[in-house]
Amino acid sequence: MAMKRAASSAVRSLLTAPTPNPSSSIFSRNLHASGGKKKIVGVFYKANEYAALNPNFVGCVEGALGIREWLEAQGHEYIVTDDKEGLDSELEKHIPDLHVLISTPFHPAYVTAERIKKAKNLELLLTAGIGSDHIDLNAAAAAGLTVAEVTGSNTVSVAEDELMRILILVRNFLPGYHQAITGEWNVAGIAHRAYDLEGKTIGTVGAGRIGKLLLQRLKPFNCNLLYHDRLKMEPELEKEIGAKFEEDLDAMLPKCDVIVINTPLTDKTRGLFDKNRIAKLKKGVLIVNNARGAIMDTQAVADACSSGHIAGYSGDVWFPQPAPKDHPWRYMPNHAMTPHISGTTIDAQLRYAAGVKDMLERHFKGEDFPEQNYIVKEGQLASQYR
């Protein structure tokens, strides 16, 4: 019935609308978005020997989001790979005739305007997780594609990870860990840069779902909490958390002992923390970035860590991903970097796998997704990406 209603609506729209240009990308892509068997390609990281260690490890190539049997039982073709870069990659081979591409922020399939142009049958781009900046969103919108992600699926996971990283930096944990495994015992080598979190000023750049959860988790530490965002919190929530809104980003940043990045990567935030902005930060500032690596100027961060202006930097996001072996963040002092892991806990994987299945099911039936899941819908970008 839902398919019948959707088809009737589409026919009425075509009959009443002005005659479209047959070469229009939006017109042609909407015609492709019909029923029938689909070719779905998933791009995930490979688990190798770790795949069999946990039956709920579904976010990898081997786990394939746990939807292979369900898809193939309906006659759809489901191809999963980790090989995503270059013209000779497995992904590139399937670009011309795939209908749906699923990828993750942890092992992103970079969907360029060139790839979108080649993908004549492409209807839907799904992110298993949160953050779709690995897709050229403007090109996707111009082509009439739908881009969606599993909003909220790993917000708790990322917020918890951010809190952990703040404590690791503030308490100067890593040198102590390294002493433990190398047989050393030098308390002074740790204590001279170890502080309490209580009483420190923590500022989050972005206070969406993850930023709010982080601030809530920081409240018991009796910190001075600040936030900058394009939208102000509801007064009741702001009062409950005890956070203060800072409209001017550059006025907030020098006040902070710890800065946490929680804003999406957009044209406006790309390179936001460049050499000049970093120079205005408090000397000895600590920075946690689980948002996107490209929000930071890579070399400016490395230089500031080397000079001591940034006393510690931690995060799990890099640009590009996977990070090359010579990436300067691997070798800068006082860092606590990891591969992109914060949003891909087993709990998060189960949530975003379920979300992907739900959206695929809706797509096959011609139904809408939950509104908050859309990043590009009907040629329009979500507000946070404009």
Side-chain angles (χ1 to χ4, degrees):
M1 182 62 73
M3 282 292 289
K4 186 176 180 181
R5 286 198 301 269
S8 299
S9 175
V11 169
R12 285 197 302 272
S13 298
L14 288 172
L15 288 174
T16 58
T19 303
N21 180 349
S23 65
S24 164
S25 297
I26 293 178
F27 179 66
S28 61
R29 295 302 173 102
N30 284 341
L31 288 181
H32 282 309
S34 57
K37 307 309 178 186
K38 307 289 184 183
K39 181 174 184 178
I40 297 131
V41 175
V43 179
F44 313 117
Y45 54 81
K46 191 173 283 187
N48 298 312
E49 69 271 24
Y50 302 105
L53 299 181
N54 190 330
N56 291 321
F57 192 1
V58 296
C60 55
V61 166
E62 293 84 351
L65 297 183
I67 58 175
R68 180 179 294 284
E69 185 176 341
W70 171 71
L71 284 172
E72 292 179 349
Q74 299 177 70
H76 301 300
E77 183 181 6
Y78 187 34
I79 294 159
V80 176
T81 183
D82 72 323
D83 183 16
K84 62 189 179 70
E85 302 294 344
L87 295 176
D88 296 327
S89 66
E90 183 71 11
L91 171 60
E92 195 73 22
K93 183 172 72 175
H94 298 291
I95 288 287
D97 63 345
L98 59 79
H99 297 92
V100 179
L101 176 60
I102 308 168
S103 61
T104 75
F106 320 106
H107 188 74
Y110 292 104
V111 183
T112 61
E114 290 75 18
R115 280 181 161 173
I116 288 171
K117 188 175 180 180
K118 290 179 186 176
K120 302 301 183 184
N121 292 336
L122 183 58
E123 304 164 4
L124 176 62
L125 291 156
L126 286 179
T127 298
I130 302 172
S132 299
D133 47 85
H134 53 283
I135 298 164
D136 186 326
L137 297 177
N138 291 317
L145 299 174
T146 296
V147 181
E149 57 191 39
V150 192
T151 301
S153 59
N154 55 21
T155 52
V156 169
S157 314
V158 177
E160 287 184 358
D161 187 273
E162 288 177 342
L163 178 57
M164 174 189 72
R165 290 175 192 274
I166 291 170
L167 287 166
I168 283 172
L169 292 179
V170 169
R171 301 305 294 264
N172 203 24
F173 173 82
L174 281 178
Y177 170 72
H178 291 146
Q179 285 188 28
I181 61 175
T182 58
E184 297 179 65
W185 189 279
N186 180 2
V187 173
I190 306 160
H192 77 290
R193 297 178 67 248
Y195 297 87
D196 295 338
L197 185 53
E198 185 175 49
K200 301 300 182 291
T201 297
I202 318 294
T204 175
V205 181
R209 292 176 178 84
I210 295 171
K212 287 187 181 76
L213 287 177
L214 174 65
L215 291 170
Q216 288 172 328
R217 282 154 176 73
L218 283 168
K219 183 181 179 181
F221 288 88
N222 297 319
C223 302
N224 178 29
L225 301 176
L226 308 176
Y227 75 96
H228 169 80
D229 198 278
R230 60 192 180 87
L231 300 174
K232 203 170 184 291
M233 288 185 204
E234 293 294 323
E236 296 80 8
L237 180 60
E238 191 177 78
K239 183 177 179 182
E240 176 192 327
I241 295 174
K244 180 186 175 186
F245 176 65
E246 295 274 347
E247 186 173 3
D248 186 336
L249 175 63
D250 287 318
M252 180 186 83
L253 292 175
K255 302 174 185 177
C256 298
D257 301 299
V258 181
I259 295 167
V260 186
I261 313 300
N262 276 310
T263 188
L265 177 63
T266 67
D267 291 341
K268 293 179 181 177
T269 63
R270 187 178 300 274
L272 181 66
F273 282 79
D274 57 11
K275 181 179 179 180
N276 292 332
R277 181 163 273 118
I278 289 172
K280 297 174 184 177
L281 306 181
K282 182 184 292 187
K283 183 173 172 54
V285 68
L286 304 174
I287 298 178
V288 171
N289 179 14
N290 281 2
R292 286 297 179 266
I295 293 171
M296 319 300 290
D297 180 312
T298 297
Q299 194 58 51
V301 169
D303 291 344
C305 284
S306 296
S307 72
H309 193 87
I310 296 176
Y313 185 94
S314 184
D316 68 336
V317 288
W318 311 64
F319 184 77
Q321 289 190 179
K325 290 185 177 180
D326 62 351
H327 196 291
W329 289 358
R330 292 184 184 270
Y331 309 105
M332 63 190 183
N334 302 318
H335 81 76
M337 295 296 296
T338 67
H340 197 167
I341 56 168
S342 63
T344 189
T345 63
I346 296 299
D347 303 281
Q349 289 176 42
L350 293 173
R351 289 190 292 265
Y352 62 67
V356 166
K357 182 179 178 183
D358 175 70
M359 286 193 288
L360 285 174
E361 196 162 29
R362 290 170 186 258
H363 181 66
F364 298 152
K365 293 177 181 178
E367 298 176 354
D368 281 345
F369 303 149
E371 195 63 32
Q372 68 271 18
N373 287 15
Y374 284 105
I375 302 303
V376 177
K377 181 184 182 183
E378 297 175 352
Q380 293 294 317
L381 270 67
S383 57
Q384 66 267 33
Y385 283 94
R386 293 176 197 164

